[in-house]
Amino acid sequence: MGKADYAALWQDALRAMTEAVPAQEFDMWFSGVQYEGSEGSELLLSVPDSLRRDKLAQRYSYKLESMLSEMSGGKVTVAFSIRKKSQTSKSPTPEIQRKQLPKKKVQAPPSLSPDYTFDRFVIGENNTFAANAARAIARNPGRAYNPCLVYGGVGLGKTHLLQAIGNDVYREFPELKIAYITAESFTNEFILSIGQQKSHQFKNKYRSVDVLLIDDIHFLPGKKQTQEELFHTFNALHDSSKQMVFTCDRPVSELRELTDRLKSRFSMGLNVDLQPPEYETRVAILRKKIEEKGVEVPDDVIELICRNIRTNVRDLERALTNLLAYADLVSADINLEVAQRRLQDHFASPEQKNIPIELIQRVVAEYFSLSHADLKGNRRTKAIAFPRQLAMHITREITEFSTTEIGNSFGGRDHTTVMHACQKVQDKIRTDDTLESTIQFLIRSIKGQGT
Ligand code: ADP
Ligand code: MG
């Protein structure tokens, strides 16, 4: 076997190890292992410290060697050594580079929008945790929280934060290779590369970056081959302690048709959520947007907008843009009266008493990849029963229908069944800290479709 073959063999063995040992264990012992080369049929592997060297030699070398031997069809052994600091000099630690290297680049890399920076991201109670994690990652890529997953509903700042990490790293660590891509583009690019027989190039491209930012991974369910590719990309990057950050519109545990092993990778590191902003934060964000645009908007108009638009930041921005465009067109000053008239359509009516139950059922069914008939029907399998209970709970929360009416709409069930369902969901909210944000997400989707 040639040198290059041994390198590839090592990658294969590592991948096999991810299947063979629990993720946490793998992470603990294998994350710092680097392939240094081969001597005869011995693979030379370096590790950061003696603890890891001893552990790996004692606990894993037998398994590794038998795996390697089997894969290559000949006897292969491994030797672990402790890596000297200088050995990692291929990419010296970011902290050192920060001081030494001139900060040349001022523009954002082509795939990033220069507007999405930390300066422009307003921090409130709803997003402090996520924003702080993102900043820590940008200061110390590959070291702080790796991997990291940011999840939350539409328009809450996921893309903004993800790109802010990219922009910041680009400025502070000009030598690091950054890739920002949506899961959708990743999928398309991958498919294209197969068609053009360039999947090797594709693999190399994403396995050789220092910071990989993938937006909207909720696009991946059902895309089997892409998931497989991403899984290997993840492992390769994780092995060499490269930073990865993902965003998703819901907790990963709720993604269906995503392989378990990929799920476990995504949820392995830090998972943080973004909630809709509170009134005070909405005001602060809107003021910031107004300032950035260099326009003047009276305080009472800002209050009007923020009191009425609670869904997300994108809707806030839309209302502002609409208002500014109008004022510009008719050369009018913006005042409370103009705003009230102009923005009526943007303000969802506060009493949405009768959102149709059918709409709620459809949104919830779709979220759980069930059919509308399933949700209304009689089957009691767990996969259906819980979504059904959730839909009942949401119906109670956001409509004025009585439990009898709700029961009727869910396949003629008794009102006590509805009460029992709501109780179940409330109990579950107490023990499952992602459930509340799932419910909020569903409610936003329902209201979004109802208007
Ligand atoms: P998502 O990716 O979660 O759908 P985006 O990141 O695209 O949301 O955000 C939607 C819009 O709202 C963007 O223009 C973004 O700049 C803005 N935005 C979101 N959160 C904030 C915030 N905390 N401060 C300032 N702007 C924000
Ligand atoms: Mg986005």
Side-chain angles (χ1 to χ4, degrees):
M1 277 180 93
K3 294 260 173 206
D5 297 332
Y6 278 115
L9 181 65
W10 169 243
Q11 286 304 322
D12 289 343
L14 259 190
R15 240 166 266 143
M17 280 312 265
T18 64
E19 306 284 307
V21 303
Q24 242 181 348
E25 201 179 310
F26 179 86
D27 199 27
M28 180 139 57
W29 303 115
F30 285 86
S31 61
V33 182
Q34 252 177 38
Y35 175 77
E36 301 292 345
S38 59
E39 241 173 60
S41 60
E42 184 157 67
L43 303 191
L44 308 177
L45 305 168
S46 71
V47 294
D49 48 54
S50 60
L51 175 69
R52 259 180 275 206
R53 180 197 57 195
D54 298 345
K55 208 53 165 195
L56 283 161
Q58 270 171 24
R59 200 191 292 182
Y60 299 102
S61 62
Y62 177 76
K63 192 175 191 99
L64 266 176
E65 287 177 350
S66 44
M67 239 175 206
L68 286 161
S69 304
E70 193 176 321
M71 284 172 165
S72 69
K75 186 162 174 57
V76 178
T77 55
V78 291
F80 295 102
S81 63
I82 298 173
R83 187 152 65 233
K84 291 191 211 82
K85 286 281 181 295
S86 61
Q87 242 172 301
T88 45
S89 67
K90 248 194 298 171
S91 52
T93 70
E95 289 299 346
I96 298 167
Q97 286 175 356
R98 186 196 286 267
K99 291 188 196 92
Q100 290 167 347
L101 284 158
K103 293 171 188 170
K104 280 184 302 233
K105 295 185 279 186
V106 281
Q107 287 172 328
S111 57
L112 296 173
S113 155
D115 293 340
Y116 290 146
T117 57
F118 286 121
D119 306 348
R120 292 181 171 214
F121 193 83
V122 175
I123 297 183
E125 230 175 277
N126 60 312
N127 60 25
T128 317
F129 192 25
N132 285 345
R135 273 184 180 281
I137 288 168
R139 272 197 302 270
N140 225 340
R143 283 145 190 274
Y145 302 107
N146 195 24
C148 175
L149 177 94
V150 180
Y151 68 90
V154 66
L156 295 180
K158 299 184 296 293
T159 299
H160 190 138
L161 269 186
L162 193 63
Q163 294 210 13
I165 295 174
N167 277 316
D168 218 45
V169 172
Y170 190 74
R171 204 183 61 237
E172 295 293 324
F173 308 107
E175 68 295 338
L176 295 187
K177 245 163 114 185
I178 303 163
Y180 165 87
I181 191 166
T182 61
E184 183 171 8
S185 303
F186 185 87
T187 306
N188 293 338
E189 209 181 293
F190 175 58
I191 293 171
L192 207 65
S193 80
I194 297 176
Q196 301 175 335
Q197 289 168 2
K198 288 181 179 162
S199 57
H200 244 80
Q201 270 175 25
F202 180 86
K203 284 187 212 304
N204 289 339
K205 177 172 169 190
Y206 289 103
R207 292 180 198 185
S208 66
V209 300
D210 299 293
V211 178
L212 179 62
L213 309 169
I214 301 190
D215 210 352
D216 295 336
I217 59 163
H218 47 265
F219 182 80
L220 292 172
K223 320 267 183 323
K224 272 210 170 124
Q225 259 190 303
T226 309
Q227 287 181 33
E228 171 85 14
E229 176 57 28
L230 185 55
F231 175 72
H232 294 308
T233 304
F234 185 107
N235 292 338
L237 291 178
H238 196 254
D239 276 353
S240 37
S241 306
K242 304 299 189 190
Q243 181 70 51
M244 286 176 277
V245 188
F246 306 97
T247 71
C248 188
D249 70 357
R250 60 190 81 174
V252 167
S253 57
E254 316 248 318
L255 286 178
R256 296 192 133 221
E257 294 183 64
L258 189 70
T259 58
D260 285 344
R261 58 185 194 169
L262 201 50
K263 260 188 211 174
S264 85
R265 294 298 179 284
F266 284 143
S267 39
M268 194 157 101
L270 182 70
N271 283 218
V272 288
D273 72 331
L274 286 169
Q275 293 289 334
E278 297 296 314
Y279 174 75
E280 290 75 13
T281 311
R282 295 201 293 275
V283 170
I285 293 174
L286 201 62
R287 283 190 196 286
K288 183 102 182 164
K289 302 286 174 193
I290 290 166
E291 184 194 308
E292 282 165 12
K293 290 182 197 287
V295 291
E296 303 237 334
V297 177
D299 281 350
D300 52 1
V301 173
I302 296 179
E303 279 166 30
L304 174 79
I305 298 176
C306 294
R307 244 184 289 111
N308 286 283
I309 297 183
R310 300 147 188 236
T311 41
N312 64 57
V313 183
R314 187 168 299 148
D315 290 347
L316 267 187
E317 275 191 309
R318 260 195 218 132
L320 177 68
T321 310
N322 180 313
L323 191 58
L324 293 177
Y326 174 79
D328 196 41
L329 266 178
V330 303
S331 311
D333 278 338
I334 296 173
N335 59 36
L336 193 58
E337 197 208 324
V338 170
Q340 255 157 353
R341 222 174 335 108
R342 193 61 213 163
L343 294 177
Q344 243 160 33
D345 296 346
H346 283 265
F347 301 157
S349 70
E351 317 90 291
Q352 283 179 317
K353 274 197 188 114
N354 292 320
I355 296 175
I357 296 183
E358 172 159 351
L359 172 68
I360 299 172
Q361 291 168 334
R362 254 197 301 113
V363 172
V364 175
E366 190 187 334
Y367 183 87
F368 289 98
S369 309
L370 300 171
S371 72
H372 184 203
D374 278 341
L375 211 69
K376 290 198 330 190
N378 282 321
R379 286 169 59 199
R380 283 158 191 266
T381 59
K382 212 169 150 215
I384 299 175
F386 182 65
R388 187 184 288 138
Q389 289 169 345
L390 204 58
M392 290 179 180
H393 167 81
I394 289 174
T395 309
R396 275 219 86 179
E397 290 281 302
I398 65 174
T399 71
E400 302 281 305
F401 291 111
S402 68
T403 45
T404 309
E405 286 168 311
I406 297 174
N408 280 338
S409 305
F410 280 84
R413 289 181 161 75
D414 193 74
H415 80 279
T416 54
T417 310
V418 178
M419 284 161 63
H420 173 71
C422 296
Q423 191 56 51
K424 270 250 150 127
V425 173
Q426 273 153 18
D427 290 346
K428 197 149 190 242
I429 290 174
R430 256 174 258 127
T431 55
D432 174 353
D433 28 316
T434 62
L435 186 56
E436 183 59 43
S437 71
T438 304
I439 293 174
Q440 289 311 321
F441 172 81
L442 286 168
I443 291 178
R444 282 198 299 279
S445 311
I446 293 161
K447 291 193 169 165
Q449 295 191 23
T451 51

